[in-house]
């Protein structure tokens, strides 16, 4: 399996493809967000029992939408359904904490600082290793990495990495006050995604959506309204340079510093 084949399909994405009605899809997303956030916040605590009819009354959504939402919440371990016990909210220990929606709800919940710290710890363990593996996969020591990329995938990955680095630089240095502030975030996400893909490790690439949520939260919450940091930009460009040059240690060191700089003490 190549990196491009290993992108996870979330429960929400599955549910979207099963609904052909645009209005139902909107109602589904709204209802899923409402119930997911209420579970995370404790409004619907672990052990709470309910029914489809009860959730219809609570959310104002149709029975078909509520049924689909309960299926998704069940898929991420937040809710169980049984013929005798009905619907029951499950404890946090059973949640799929790597699901993008669960991460987002936790980031917006009362324990957001815990989720932020957990994301940072995961990134610190994962991304320097992925950057190192990516450099090996494009250098002379490709055989030492966890997997090997086909030549076409390697070329595509390097092109994506270079394009993302250029886009980050353009977005950061744009003098246009009307420039979209999310351009830098999108380029940032693309660069980190390209690093994971080039790592040739399908388990790393499976965590792309988790990394995405960490990047999104930092950009839109922690650094909202702030211009891109020149040091952060330089470090990202160094990651791209080192990977392209096949320099694993340099790529890992730059990526480690990127993640470490997301800690509160670093601002």
């Amino acid at each position: 399996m190549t990196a491009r084949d290993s992108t996870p399909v979330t429960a929400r994405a599955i549910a979207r493809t099963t609904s052909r009605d645009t209005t139902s899809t909107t109602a589904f997303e709204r209802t899923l967000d409402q119930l997911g956030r209420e579970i995370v916040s404790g409004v619907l605590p672990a052990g709470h029992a309910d029914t489809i009819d009860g959730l219809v009354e609570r959310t104002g959504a149709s029975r078909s939408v509520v049924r689909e939402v309960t299926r998704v919440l069940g898929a991420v371990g937040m809710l169980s359904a049984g013929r005798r016990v009905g619907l029951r909210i499950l404890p946090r220990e059973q949640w799929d904490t790597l699901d993008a929606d669960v991460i987002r709800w936790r980031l917006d919940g009362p324990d957001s600082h815990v989720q932020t710290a957990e994301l940072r710890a995961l990134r610190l363990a994962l991304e320097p290793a992925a950057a190192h593996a990516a450099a090996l996969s494009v250098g002379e020591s490709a055989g030492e990495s966890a997997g090997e990329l086909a030549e076409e995938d390697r070329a595509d990955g390097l092109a994506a990495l270079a394009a993302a680095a250029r886009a980050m630089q353009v977005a950061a240095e744009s003098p246009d006050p009307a420039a979209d502030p999310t351009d830098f975030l999108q380029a940032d996400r693309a660069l980190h995604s390209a690093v994971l893909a080039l790592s040739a490790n399908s388990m790393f690439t499976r965590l792309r959506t988790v990394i995405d949520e960490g990047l999104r939260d930092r950009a839109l919450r922690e650094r909202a309204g702030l211009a891109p940091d020149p040091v952060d930009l330089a470090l990202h460009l160094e990651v791209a340079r080192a990977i392209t040059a096949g320099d694993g240690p340099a790529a890992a060191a730059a990526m480690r510093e990127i993640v470490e700089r997301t800690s509160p003490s670093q601002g």
Side-chain angles (χ1 to χ4, degrees):
M1 177 182 293
T2 65
R4 67 180 62 180
D5 296 324
S6 59
T7 302
V9 178
T10 64
R12 181 191 287 250
I14 294 173
R16 282 175 176 160
T17 63
T18 62
S19 175
R20 298 181 181 178
D21 185 272
T22 303
T23 303
S24 296
T25 302
T26 302
F28 161 79
E29 292 179 337
R30 183 175 63 250
T31 304
L32 178 62
D33 281 335
Q34 176 185 339
L35 294 179
R37 293 176 190 278
E38 289 184 355
I39 293 172
V40 167
S41 68
V43 172
L44 293 175
H48 171 81
D50 220 314
T51 63
I52 294 293
D53 288 337
L55 295 183
V56 166
E57 182 177 353
R58 184 180 195 91
T59 63
S62 68
R63 286 177 61 86
S64 62
V65 167
V66 168
R67 286 187 183 280
E68 190 65 21
V69 166
T70 59
R71 186 179 77 86
V72 173
L73 292 174
V76 296
M78 301 182 86
L79 178 148
S80 66
R83 182 164 298 178
R84 294 185 178 182
V85 299
L87 304 175
R88 191 172 298 276
I89 306 301
L90 297 175
R92 180 170 303 187
E93 293 74 23
Q94 297 190 44
W95 300 353
D96 179 1
T97 53
L98 294 180
D99 180 83
D101 287 324
V102 176
I103 292 172
R104 193 174 301 117
W105 295 329
R106 292 184 67 200
L107 285 169
D108 290 336
D111 297 325
S112 60
H113 63 286
V114 175
Q115 176 65 95
T116 299
E118 289 177 355
L119 274 174
R120 185 179 300 113
L122 177 63
R123 291 187 61 197
L124 193 56
L126 168 68
E127 291 200 89
H132 189 276
L136 292 184
S137 76
V138 302
E140 294 181 352
S141 303
E144 298 176 14
S145 59
E148 293 189 31
L149 291 174
E151 187 59 37
E152 180 183 357
D153 291 335
R154 184 179 295 111
D156 289 347
L158 284 172
L161 182 67
R166 285 195 300 273
M168 286 189 73
Q169 191 164 17
V170 169
E173 298 175 353
S174 173
D176 184 1
D180 188 344
T182 63
D183 286 349
F184 186 83
L185 169 60
Q186 297 308 320
D188 189 18
R189 293 170 68 178
L191 187 142
H192 286 264
S193 178
V195 172
L196 294 176
L198 281 168
S199 73
N201 185 318
S202 61
M203 297 189 74
F204 286 172
T205 58
R206 291 284 292 183
L207 295 174
R208 179 184 59 78
T209 56
V210 178
I211 303 302
D212 261 1
E213 287 305 317
L215 297 172
R216 184 192 66 84
D217 184 71
R218 175 165 168 77
L220 301 183
R221 189 199 307 271
E222 298 177 29
R223 293 191 55 81
L226 299 177
D229 188 309
V231 176
D232 285 340
L233 173 62
L235 287 169
H236 282 79
L237 297 180
E238 170 60 12
V239 167
R241 184 208 64 78
I243 288 175
T244 302
D247 188 343
M255 184 64 81
R256 184 175 298 106
E257 188 171 352
I258 287 171
V259 179
E260 287 176 343
R261 285 175 55 81
T262 66
S263 68
S265 63
Q266 294 289 332

